[in-house]
Amino acid sequence: MNSLPEERISELISEGMKKGAHVFLFDASHIDVEQEVIHAIFREGNSWVQRNVPLPDVVLNEAPEPGQNRPECEDWLRRRVPFTTFLIHGKYDIQKKLEPLFKDYLIPTEWLQDPDQFLAYLNVHGEVVDFRIHIQRDGTGRWALTRMYARTGNTDSVICNISKGGRIEDVADMLYRLFPSQADRISREMERLAIRMAETINRSYSFLIDELGMDFIVTPGGQIFFVEANISPPTPSHEQVRAAGTIEYAHYVAKAGQLAPHPVIAMLTNDPNDKQLADACAYSAKWNNAAFYYFAPHDVHAELRYIKGYVLEDGEWEARYCPFPDVVYDRLKARGNTNYSDVYEALRHIPFTDERNGGSFSKNEIFEILQNHSELSSHLIPYTAVENVGEILAFIDTYGTSIIKPSICSFGSGIIVVQREQEGFSVKTHEHVHQMNGEEFGQLISMHAAQKGFIIQKFIRSETRNGLPYHIRLHLVRNGSGEWSFISAFPFLSTHSEYKVVNDAGSLRAFTTWDCLSRHEFPNKEEVMLMRLERMATMTADHIAGHVKERICELGIDVGNDSLGEIWIFEVNMNKIDSTHREFEVAQHMIPFALSLR
């Protein structure tokens, strides 16, 4: 409290009065945990008085301490009242966060081990000059420019800090003096970069960064480079402007957990690849008079009942504090996983589009469900669990070339193709072919049997006319009526005839459209074949949903065709289903389904 400049305190109090907010001062020693009050210090005229008040709506913690240095009473208060300001990582770590997207704007940086290394570094990279861009979140939670100014150091120093003798110059005057033909472009680009970089920095934190002082330099050729970002930057020349932004943002944080005027759907995801699906869901939600945001597991603030989510604004995803949603579209699919138990516990009273524990159904269990359906069982590939050598040898003798795969979540890995040969067995992994005698093969089977969770299936040769292996992903989602909608038949092809397992992560594979594949593989039967696939997919989804007591909202069914055109079910996936190139088809059904769960 005593560390804040007097002018900053005065401007915050004054701005609070303008905005109808009561601003008071306190530190950790003024927190009364037993009575749940604050021994607050108010300014009345030219005097300071102390009064006991209830807990505030929001805390402007102007000088945050590291977590390990905070007293327990502050942690107690943080669980009950939202705070505005949080510490972030140091300069080197921030640089690393920005590298993937802003490499061209970053100055080469390295850890310096001794003074000689520093002198050598200066010789390579030349002189240093700074611009400061101060940005704050406003009353809507969006980043806004507070002030842009030039900082000039003394002639005998490379440091431009005001406290070290530097001085402030008007940025427009300096830019027009140094870059007369590029001044407007440089100014706009620095502001745009500051906000884009701030959003990128904020992505790895569970809170909103409230303000940043972003430092840039401009080369004689007009090239912009980022230097560093700092929280709670000193603002001796514009305390009033900063105070206005601070009070507006404090109002926003205080209201963060309040109910939204429209139904809210939120997507839970930990995968950057879900961005395009999130785009589609945001537009679909708007068409259905609902709001939409997405969030990661660490973004949930359970005690304060808000989530740091991402909302679509002017075509860009921006971080905001969002109220708890009415429904969660679960793309994480990690219920039951101890690493994510906190997020599912915090949102336990909110309906989820998928209620099943992630990875809880094995291929063996799915196949058992399909076996008791008279029609679907005819599309089921012969299989058995890998348990002993004798049964596996008998299986191979009966069905010929076979495939051994993990029963749970293989994603194409750990799969081997087995074929009996005159001298023993040919065992093909994704990259290698191994010739084994009977004893070696028996040891391999025993190893898989000991690990448990493996099955063996008859190998179905699903290949194009020119010999390329393929499978077709049948994608279904629930719609607003709770029924299954058939989204697409999406073919995947191996680009090499020897790579039989198309969905192996190491495979070179291509995808195409159903229209393209069917014209070549099923000439004059395209529509009939698609109708067969859709009917079987819907039948499969209905049958499985009827045997799973928890709600499921999405299915991916992988099928293939043998040389006679028969359809065979390879796998059924209830976990995260890829939606590449089908995002809008998924969203236009999934959003109404989510809304139906309220």
Side-chain angles (χ1 to χ4, degrees):
M1 184 170 66
N2 295 326
S3 63
L4 294 180
E6 175 60 31
E7 186 180 3
R8 175 164 290 191
I9 294 174
S10 297
E11 292 294 350
L12 286 170
I13 292 174
S14 175
E15 194 62 34
M17 292 177 64
K18 292 179 187 177
K19 298 290 194 328
H22 299 288
V23 178
F24 60 81
L25 278 66
F26 72 101
D27 60 25
S29 67
H30 295 94
I31 302 172
D32 189 330
V33 175
E34 291 186 2
Q35 299 298 319
E36 296 194 1
V37 297
I38 303 293
H39 305 309
I41 299 175
F42 288 85
R43 189 171 69 183
E44 293 185 355
N46 294 323
S47 303
W48 294 95
V49 297
Q50 181 171 306
R51 294 199 300 268
N52 291 347
V53 298
L55 300 186
D57 298 304
V58 62
V59 174
L60 300 172
N61 54 320
E62 290 278 341
E65 289 281 349
Q68 64 271 21
N69 296 344
R70 290 200 300 254
E72 172 56 32
C73 64
E74 181 177 335
D75 287 332
W76 174 87
L77 184 62
R78 283 173 176 267
R79 292 191 293 269
R80 289 158 176 80
V81 178
F83 280 49
T84 61
T85 307
F86 300 86
L87 294 175
I88 62 174
H89 288 85
K91 297 174 176 61
Y92 188 75
D93 291 315
I94 293 299
Q95 183 103 348
K96 291 300 180 185
K97 292 177 187 295
L98 293 173
E99 269 185 3
L101 293 177
F102 300 96
K103 190 173 183 180
D104 292 342
Y105 295 96
L106 301 181
I107 299 173
T109 302
E110 56 188 278
W111 283 108
L112 301 179
Q113 305 298 327
D114 57 59
D116 291 337
Q117 188 180 358
F118 173 65
L119 294 175
Y121 186 80
L122 284 182
N123 287 334
V124 172
H125 297 291
E127 63 181 5
V128 175
V129 182
D130 289 2
F131 287 91
R132 162 60 59 90
I133 298 180
H134 183 193
I135 57 174
Q136 293 177 278
R137 292 193 184 273
D138 62 17
T140 68
R142 300 190 75 173
W143 286 111
L145 177 67
T146 303
R147 189 179 180 195
M148 183 187 303
Y149 54 94
R151 300 193 304 177
T152 306
N154 292 328
T155 55
D156 58 349
S157 173
V158 298
I159 299 174
C160 301
N161 299 59
I162 308 305
S163 61
K164 303 297 183 181
R167 66 184 187 277
I168 289 177
E169 292 189 35
D170 181 79
V171 70
D173 291 344
M174 176 173 278
L175 284 174
Y176 278 111
R177 185 173 72 249
L178 298 177
F179 311 98
S181 64
Q182 302 185 69
D184 290 338
R185 190 271 303 172
I186 291 172
S187 178
R188 287 194 302 270
E189 188 171 351
M190 281 196 293
E191 180 181 350
R192 181 179 62 88
L193 270 175
I195 291 175
R196 287 180 58 216
M197 286 181 168
E199 278 293 335
T200 300
I201 293 168
N202 210 153
R203 284 197 168 273
S204 59
Y205 298 106
S206 64
F207 49 79
L208 292 184
I209 301 171
D210 61 330
E211 66 176 334
L212 286 173
M214 310 280 282
D215 290 343
F216 295 88
I217 61 173
V218 182
T219 68
Q223 187 174 3
I224 299 171
F225 286 102
F226 169 78
V227 180
E228 64 180 10
N230 297 288
I231 63 166
S232 302
T235 55
S237 64
H238 60 285
E239 287 289 3
Q240 189 278 326
V241 179
R242 182 215 178 243
T246 300
I247 296 298
E248 285 184 7
Y249 177 65
H251 274 286
Y252 168 79
V253 174
K255 297 185 294 184
Q258 294 181 5
L259 293 177
H262 302 289
V264 178
I265 302 168
M267 176 195 288
L268 171 59
T269 178
N270 219 13
D271 187 350
N273 294 322
D274 277 342
K275 201 94 169 285
Q276 289 182 311
L277 178 59
D279 288 344
C281 287
Y283 289 116
S284 181
K286 188 173 183 179
W287 296 333
N288 286 275
N289 297 314
F292 177 86
Y293 66 87
Y294 74 85
F295 67 104
H298 68 271
D299 291 328
V300 178
H301 297 260
E303 298 92 344
L304 303 174
R305 286 195 63 81
Y306 64 71
I307 294 173
K308 191 207 82 176
Y310 290 86
V311 299
L312 193 62
E313 293 280 2
D314 301 326
E316 297 289 336
W317 287 101
E318 299 177 358
R320 295 283 193 282
Y321 283 144
C322 304
F324 274 22
D326 296 291
V327 185
V328 175
Y329 175 18
D330 189 0
R331 290 285 291 176
L332 185 67
K333 302 288 182 71
R335 188 184 296 273
N337 184 325
T338 55
N339 293 326
Y340 301 106
S341 58
D342 287 350
V343 65
Y344 287 99
E345 174 61 22
L347 304 176
R348 66 188 182 280
H349 300 304
I350 296 173
F352 276 58
T353 54
D354 199 300
E355 298 176 325
R356 183 185 54 86
N357 280 0
S360 61
F361 267 79
S362 67
K363 296 178 180 66
N364 197 46
E365 290 173 300
I366 290 290
F367 293 160
E368 287 179 357
I369 290 173
L370 296 179
Q371 268 187 335
N372 63 31
H373 189 287
S374 58
E375 187 171 345
L376 292 175
S377 62
S378 65
H379 297 282
L380 192 60
I381 302 171
Y383 78 99
T384 189
V386 174
E387 294 181 348
N388 63 70
V389 176
E391 288 184 354
I392 299 308
L393 292 177
F395 186 94
I396 294 172
D397 287 339
T398 301
Y399 296 107
T401 304
S402 301
I403 188 166
I404 296 176
K405 63 174 71 171
S407 186
I408 295 180
C409 298
S410 70
F411 296 104
S413 63
I415 294 178
I416 58 176
V417 178
V418 180
Q419 184 175 344
R420 187 186 282 277
E421 295 188 346
Q422 194 170 10
E423 300 296 324
F425 296 87
S426 172
V427 178
K428 187 180 188 312
T429 63
H430 175 64
E431 295 179 338
H432 304 287
V433 177
H434 305 273
Q435 301 299 326
M436 296 183 176
N437 58 34
E439 182 180 355
E440 291 169 332
F441 184 67
Q443 291 173 350
L444 177 69
I445 295 302
S446 298
M447 179 187 72
H448 281 81
Q451 292 177 353
K452 299 188 181 299
F454 281 83
I455 63 170
I456 184 168
Q457 277 182 319
K458 176 184 177 181
F459 178 72
I460 299 296
R461 193 173 295 276
S462 178
E463 296 179 345
T464 63
R465 293 173 183 269
N466 57 352
L468 294 180
Y470 76 90
H471 73 254
I472 302 168
R473 164 59 61 90
L474 308 178
H475 192 173
L476 301 99
V477 300
R478 299 276 195 183
N479 58 33
S481 301
E483 299 173 346
W484 290 103
S485 289
F486 182 76
I487 299 298
S488 64
F490 203 70
F492 290 87
L493 295 89
S494 173
T495 58
H496 196 291
S497 60
E498 292 303 312
Y499 291 160
K500 306 299 185 185
V501 181
V502 182
N503 63 335
D504 189 286
S507 292
L508 291 173
R509 64 176 185 167
F511 53 83
T512 185
T513 64
W514 168 255
D515 288 344
C516 183
L517 179 78
S518 61
R519 279 200 311 270
H520 290 88
E521 302 304 318
F522 313 105
N524 303 317
K525 299 179 181 177
E526 300 99 310
E527 292 187 10
V528 172
M529 192 64 178
L530 183 59
M531 289 175 61
R532 288 179 60 197
L533 290 172
E534 181 173 352
R535 179 177 178 276
M536 191 194 74
T538 305
M539 188 186 303
T540 301
D542 283 335
H543 185 64
I544 289 175
H547 284 74
V548 177
K549 60 182 179 180
E550 299 89 359
R551 181 189 302 128
I552 56 175
C553 67
E554 196 169 13
L555 280 178
I557 307 170
D558 290 343
V559 301
N561 303 98
D562 61 21
S563 57
L564 300 176
E566 292 299 320
I567 301 172
W568 295 98
I569 298 174
F570 290 170
E571 295 185 10
V572 178
N573 184 9
M574 290 187 284
N575 295 318
K576 183 176 174 181
I577 314 297
D578 181 41
S579 59
T580 305
H581 301 294
R582 307 184 296 283
E583 292 89 357
F584 276 98
E585 289 86 346
V586 171
Q588 70 180 355
H589 293 88
M590 185 62 71
I591 294 299
F593 172 65
L595 290 171
S596 74
L597 301 178
R598 292 178 297 148

